């Protein structure tokens, strides 16, 4: 979703397609990640991995592009993880 089709010479997404993707992202994907983070500090255990880097960058891109954040009330575990990832120097 963060790399639009126009980057590949295709027609841009319609607003309806963007809204549908954002609904899925905030309504399905982020809740699943939040739930996963109830059992581990990072996505794959107690140390961050490339999976954390990938998801962090995707989430940050979507938050930046669409100016829609997330709150600790909505996603408490994901919110803590996101803030922890943002403090890692290599990220």
């Amino acid at each position: 979703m963060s790399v639009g089709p126009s980057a590949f010479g295709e027609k841009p997404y319609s607003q309806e397609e963007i809204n549908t993707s954002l609904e899925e992202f905030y309504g399905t994907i982020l809740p699943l990640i939040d739930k996963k983070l109830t059992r581990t500090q990072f996505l794959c255990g107690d140390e961050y991995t490339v999976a954390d880097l990938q998801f962090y960058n995707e989430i940050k891109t979507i938050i930046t592009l669409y100016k829609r954040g997330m709150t600790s009330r909505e996603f408490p575990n994901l919110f803590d993880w996101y803030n922890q990832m943002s403090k890692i120097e290599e990220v």
Side-chain angles (χ1 to χ4, degrees):
M1 182 169 119
S2 61
V3 176
S6 58
F8 302 103
E10 301 293 324
K11 71 178 184 109
Y13 293 126
S14 70
Q15 189 60 50
E16 183 178 334
E17 290 171 313
I18 291 169
N19 291 343
T20 299
S21 292
L22 286 172
E23 286 176 29
E24 180 181 11
F25 184 73
Y26 279 91
T28 303
I29 295 170
L30 293 187
L32 287 172
I33 297 171
D34 187 69
K35 184 177 179 181
K36 166 66 174 128
L37 291 168
T38 62
R39 298 183 301 271
T40 59
Q41 183 177 1
F42 295 100
L43 294 173
C44 296
D46 293 328
E47 295 182 26
Y48 74 93
T49 66
V50 70
D52 294 284
L53 294 172
Q54 174 63 36
F55 275 103
Y56 174 80
N57 286 321
E58 185 70 17
I59 291 168
K60 184 172 180 67
T61 299
I62 290 170
I63 286 171
T64 302
L65 285 176
Y66 298 101
K67 297 174 179 63
R68 180 174 169 188
M70 63 178 160
T71 66
S72 60
R73 182 179 302 214
E74 289 176 294
F75 310 109
N77 304 304
L78 182 59
F79 187 83
D80 290 344
W81 169 87
Y82 183 86
N83 288 325
Q84 184 176 359
M85 286 296 295
S86 68
K87 292 175 185 171
I88 297 172
E89 187 175 328
E90 295 82 9
V91 174

